């Protein structure tokens, strides 16, 4: 019998049962791809991250991400949760100031900030943002999302955006409209698969007492009806805001984004956008909470 240590980490929150839950398997070097997929299905969390020895001198770990249904190229909240686990449970914060993950989309460095007594935040630098146009009828998109076409905010463009995975950015007029969205998940899944889209990301500039933007994210194409708090999609949103000229490209911006409230898993992301020679640099940060740790028992290898 083999025993594998697994963790349930709630990301973008400092409380259990909030934010976005991720499975983290920090010692996955001996697992096969089939075993990783089966473990992700067994944990049945939106995504699980598996940390393997890196074959690159400029990375500390190779990381693979799985939903209960399939492998995906990148996952922001599982990245943050994995780095938080390494820093808080495996003493990496005492050894170095950062860890670098090698992922299917490239290198992702993660830095941690320490308060007087404990870890306070980890921040990932995502790969360079991109945007692209997608021909989609506003009325048809609104119908798939369970919205009125009048709920869509026509001051801002509907675009694809990516910091590693393509997300469909949908501007909405109000938080109330976003909270009332009831997407046709099967249709949305087929649409997103057809266009190579990972998730559909609703956002509004309606501010709250502790946030600048409010979002929801639907990912049925990868087996996740609603992703509670999405590091990758909100990083892509930050890139969209700058590349589409909604935020000035020559200035540094700091944003606080709220997500998860609609499904009673509130989370908060801190995003910094910094001008760079090759385009905007997107950093997504937050805290996490290790909620469960345990041993998964697997059959002995034959």
């Amino acid at each position: 019998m083999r025993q594998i240590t697994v963790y349930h980490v709630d990301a973008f929150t400092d409380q259990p049962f909030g934010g976005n839950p991720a499975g983290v398997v920090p010692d996955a070097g001996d697992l096969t791809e089939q075993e990783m997929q089966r473990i992700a299905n067994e944990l049945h969390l939106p995504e699980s991250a598996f940390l393997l020895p890196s074959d690159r001198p400029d990375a500390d770990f190779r990381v693979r991400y799985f939903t209960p249904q399939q492998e995906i190229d990148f996952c922001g909240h599982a990245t943050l949760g994995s780095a938080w686990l390494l820093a808080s449970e495996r003493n990496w914060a005492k050894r170095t100031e950062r860890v670098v993950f090698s992922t299917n989309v490239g290198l992702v460095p993660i830095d941690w900030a320490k308060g007087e007594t404990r870890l306070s935040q980890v921040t990932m630098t995502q790969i360079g943002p991109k945007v692209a146009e997608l021909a989609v009828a506003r009325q048809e998109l609104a119908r798939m999302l369970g919205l009125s076409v009048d709920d869509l905010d026509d001051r801002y463009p509907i675009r694809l955006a990516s910091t590693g995975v393509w997300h469909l950015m949908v501007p909405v007029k109000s938080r109330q409209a976003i909270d009332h969205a009831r997407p046709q998940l099967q249709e949305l899944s087929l649409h997103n698969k057809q266009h190579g889209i990972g998730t559909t990301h609703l956002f509004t500039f309606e501010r709250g007492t502790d946030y600048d933007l409010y979002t929801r994210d639907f990912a049925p194409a990868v087996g996740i009806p609603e992703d509670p708090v999405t590091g990758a999609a909100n990083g892509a949103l930050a890139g969209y805001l700058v590349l589409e000229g909604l935020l000035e490209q020559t200035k540094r911006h700091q944003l606080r984004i709220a997500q998860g409230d609609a499904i009673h898993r509130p989370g908060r992301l801190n995003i910094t956008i910094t001008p760079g020679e090759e385009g905007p640099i997107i950093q997504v940060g937050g805290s996490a909470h290790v909620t469960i740790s345990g041993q998964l028992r697997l059959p002995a290898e034959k």
Side-chain angles (χ1 to χ4, degrees):
M1 186 72 66
R2 290 182 294 156
Q3 291 196 352
I4 305 296
T5 303
V6 298
Y7 295 87
H8 171 133
V9 184
D10 291 326
F12 297 115
T13 181
D14 59 2
Q15 300 293 323
F17 318 124
N20 201 351
V24 180
V25 182
D27 304 301
D30 294 330
L31 295 175
T32 66
E33 181 175 316
Q34 185 182 51
E35 287 174 327
M36 286 187 269
Q37 183 62 76
R38 287 180 171 178
I39 290 170
N41 183 61
E42 185 72 13
L43 295 176
H44 205 67
L45 298 171
E47 287 93 0
S48 293
F50 296 82
L51 279 59
L52 302 94
S54 175
D55 56 2
R56 299 181 53 153
D58 52 355
D60 298 293
F61 293 93
R62 169 87 171 101
V63 185
R64 297 179 68 177
Y65 307 93
F66 290 81
T67 76
Q69 287 189 1
Q70 66 186 70
E71 184 173 10
I72 58 174
D73 288 334
F74 179 67
C75 173
H77 85 276
T79 297
L80 183 135
S82 298
W84 184 277
L85 176 75
L86 291 174
S88 63
E89 303 279 326
R90 301 232 164 172
N91 295 318
W92 274 71
K94 295 181 180 179
R95 296 161 48 186
T96 181
E97 295 299 318
R98 67 161 38 182
V99 64
V100 179
F101 290 165
S102 172
T103 75
N104 287 354
V105 301
L107 294 178
V108 179
I110 306 106
D111 300 274
W112 31 75
K114 291 171 280 189
E116 293 184 3
T117 60
R118 63 187 293 271
L119 186 66
S120 59
Q121 176 169 288
V122 298
T123 301
M124 71 185 105
T125 301
Q126 298 185 354
I127 70 168
K130 298 183 292 184
V131 294
E133 294 188 7
L134 178 69
V136 58
R138 297 173 68 87
Q139 190 155 353
E140 177 64 12
L141 180 61
R143 187 191 63 78
M144 278 195 295
L145 293 172
L147 296 172
S148 160
V149 70
D150 291 333
D151 291 327
L152 303 183
D153 195 335
D154 57 12
R155 293 175 298 172
Y156 312 112
I158 296 167
R159 290 286 187 270
L160 296 175
S162 170
T163 52
V165 175
W166 287 109
H167 306 271
L168 181 59
M169 298 292 146
V170 182
V172 180
K173 290 179 180 176
S174 69
R175 170 175 172 166
Q176 182 181 35
I178 287 180
D179 283 346
H180 287 168
R182 296 294 183 268
Q184 304 293 319
L185 292 173
Q186 186 172 1
E187 288 187 56
L188 189 61
S189 175
L190 291 173
H191 175 271
N192 287 1
K193 286 178 180 178
Q194 179 183 356
H195 296 285
I197 300 168
T199 79
T200 299
H201 200 61
L202 281 58
F203 72 92
T204 180
F205 282 102
E206 184 178 14
R207 301 167 72 100
T209 56
D210 67 338
Y211 59 84
D212 303 301
L213 292 98
Y214 181 80
T215 68
R216 280 181 83 184
D217 192 82
F218 302 102
V222 295
I224 305 165
E226 180 167 357
D227 210 8
V229 191
T230 47
N234 282 302
L237 171 61
Y240 156 95
L241 295 175
V242 174
L243 295 176
E244 289 294 321
L246 306 180
L247 295 176
E248 190 172 336
Q249 294 193 21
T250 59
K251 290 185 177 180
R252 187 172 183 267
H253 303 277
Q254 290 185 300
L255 303 171
R256 188 163 171 85
I257 297 180
Q259 193 182 335
D261 300 61
I263 54 173
H264 311 295
R265 293 197 67 96
R268 298 294 183 266
L269 309 92
N270 300 314
I271 295 185
T272 302
I273 309 167
T274 306
E277 292 183 1
E278 298 180 1
I281 300 167
I282 307 297
Q283 294 177 297
V284 179
S287 56
H289 187 277
V290 180
T291 302
I292 302 171
S293 64
Q295 299 294 314
L296 184 66
R297 297 180 180 183
L298 299 178
E301 294 178 319
K302 295 182 180 180

